[in-house]
Amino acid sequence: MKPILLQGHERSITQIKYNREGDLLFSVAKDTVVNVWYSVNGERLGTYNGHTGAVWCVDVDWDTKNVLTGSADNSCRLWDCETGKQLAFLKTSSAVRTCGFDFSGNIIMFSTDKQMGYQCYLNFFDLRDPSQIEDNTPYVSVPCSESKVTSAVWGPLGEFVIAGHENGEINQFSAKSGEVLKNVKEHTKQINDIQTSMDLTMVITASKDNSAKLFDSTSLDHIKTFKTERPVNSAAISPIMDHVVMGGGQEAMEVTTTSTRIGKFEARFFHAAFEEEFGRVKGHFGPINCVAFHPDGKSYSSGGEDGYVRIHYFDPQYFEYEFEV
């Protein structure tokens, strides 16, 4: 089946996210626009307008009521998913790099960049307490002085946040006290993306050191490694198969000097148990910045440096694919 091409951005895509049911797909890019699409046919439902800088991150809560976005305009904003109305505006002193709702949808976390003399902070707000939003005072704010947070996700049960750092470290920060519960360093370079499995038992990290790694989300035990020849910008775990998809490509400055084939702008599929690559999907004219599986596992989408989001549906024989042992 031909991929569905979503053309709603003028600049490169920074993140894409499905909601829990998978009927909606949210996309954000460096062009200030937050788009929401029907994932089944690629029809655009609407936009969330208000940001004045590149939007780095997006998340949607469990029951698709609210949407959270973080931007380089030094703000994190909460939106009503259905109406597009802005519900909350949280001002920060530097760009918001990553954001997320916990499982209940009551607590949000976001991290700010280390720039312009400001420290990198991981902030936690409780949406049930309006005074935190009005006064812009998080109930916990964790300074990350050594290395800034580049990607973060909530762990199971909303007890902690798993954050990947610029130096390749992964930390677990308690959502109650902000203390570091666990710390591992398996990557040698910056972690570009962290995504959880469907049941939140595992996380996959994508790194600039040309690999993606699978970890247990509670113990942070390193389980598997998937190696490539290029920096990995994003990786996702299939909800129904033992597969992971990875998107990458080389640095933006080298893109103009290579052809699309040499540039390796394909999404690559690896078997999660055997760490073997078994397929590639071409498509983007430029590196892939983010990938996401549909919650039913029957399709995946990718957002690229070319400003397009593509939804790819799998062939039925994909689901019969297994390695001969």
Side-chain angles (χ1 to χ4, degrees):
M1 182 169 162
K2 203 152 117 265
I4 303 172
L5 196 63
L6 312 182
Q7 300 172 284
H9 293 284
E10 289 173 5
R11 293 191 58 201
S12 55
I13 310 293
T14 49
Q15 198 178 21
I16 50 180
K17 260 292 164 58
Y18 283 98
N19 64 343
R20 187 176 54 100
E21 289 85 7
D23 59 331
L24 301 181
L25 178 62
F26 297 83
S27 65
V28 291
K30 291 181 183 172
D31 61 2
T32 76
V33 184
V34 183
N35 281 322
V36 57
W37 315 80
Y38 277 126
S39 64
V40 66
N41 58 3
E43 184 186 335
R44 183 160 75 167
L45 265 165
T47 56
Y48 301 93
N49 298 329
H51 279 297
T52 55
V55 188
W56 288 118
C57 53
V58 62
D59 196 25
V60 56
D61 65 1
W62 195 78
D63 50 5
T64 320
K65 212 159 57 201
N66 298 329
V67 179
L68 188 66
T69 55
S71 164
D73 64 8
N74 298 0
S75 75
C76 185
R77 299 178 197 227
L78 185 71
W79 313 84
D80 183 300
C81 182
E82 200 176 346
T83 62
K85 189 165 149 272
Q86 187 175 303
L87 302 176
F89 172 83
L90 299 166
K91 189 91 189 87
T92 57
S93 37
S94 55
V96 177
R97 177 65 51 179
T98 175
C99 64
F101 288 99
D102 80 330
F103 194 70
S104 67
N106 291 326
I107 297 176
I108 61 167
M109 65 86 185
F110 63 86
S111 76
T112 59
D113 269 359
K114 185 176 172 178
Q115 64 189 53
M116 300 181 298
Y118 290 103
Q119 181 82 295
C120 161
Y121 283 99
L122 186 62
N123 294 321
F124 293 88
F125 284 85
D126 193 327
L127 298 177
R128 292 165 295 191
D129 179 3
S131 65
Q132 286 184 21
I133 308 293
E134 282 155 26
D135 309 340
N136 198 3
T137 49
Y139 74 86
V140 173
S141 185
V142 189
C144 308
S145 46
E146 281 124 54
S147 180
K148 77 166 192 185
V149 174
T150 50
S151 183
V153 289
W154 279 93
L157 302 172
E159 287 170 1
F160 52 80
V161 163
I162 301 164
H165 296 257
E166 201 170 28
N167 61 1
E169 277 185 4
I170 303 170
N171 283 319
Q172 271 182 9
F173 293 101
S174 163
K176 292 188 175 64
S177 63
E179 63 184 316
V180 176
L181 304 173
K182 287 203 169 57
N183 167 289
V184 296
K185 190 169 191 293
E186 292 284 346
H187 285 290
T188 54
K189 290 188 183 159
Q190 172 178 321
I191 290 171
N192 290 326
D193 183 35
I194 297 188
Q195 292 194 33
T196 52
S197 60
M198 195 68 174
D199 56 6
L200 302 183
T201 55
M202 294 187 293
V203 293
I204 190 162
T205 57
S207 168
K208 231 181 196 169
D209 67 6
N210 302 5
S211 71
K213 289 177 190 277
L214 206 56
F215 294 89
D216 181 283
S217 56
T218 315
S219 65
L220 287 191
D221 289 337
H222 173 224
I223 308 168
K224 297 283 177 189
T225 301
F226 310 99
K227 291 191 179 73
T228 67
E229 317 82 62
R230 298 287 150 120
V232 186
N233 294 337
S234 183
I237 306 169
S238 168
I240 55 168
M241 304 288 285
D242 292 329
H243 296 167
V244 300
V245 62
M246 286 153 60
Q250 77 273 65
E251 297 296 307
M253 51 192 176
E254 296 156 19
V255 169
T256 49
T257 58
T258 51
S259 75
T260 47
R261 183 75 191 105
I262 308 165
K264 299 266 192 322
F265 303 134
E266 303 122 327
R268 314 173 79 174
F269 284 81
F270 281 75
H271 196 285
F274 300 115
E275 303 179 345
E276 297 264 346
E277 185 181 353
F278 65 84
R280 291 188 186 187
V281 180
K282 282 204 268 295
H284 286 279
F285 298 101
I288 295 172
N289 290 342
C290 45
V291 289
F293 268 102
H294 189 289
D296 70 3
K298 298 198 166 97
S299 64
Y300 83 97
S301 52
S302 56
E305 194 72 29
D306 55 7
Y308 295 126
V309 177
R310 294 169 160 263
I311 303 176
H312 295 261
Y313 282 86
F314 293 119
D315 217 292
Q317 66 202 53
Y318 162 83
F319 301 105
E320 291 151 26
Y321 184 80
E322 277 299 329
F323 278 99
E324 269 84 55
V325 181

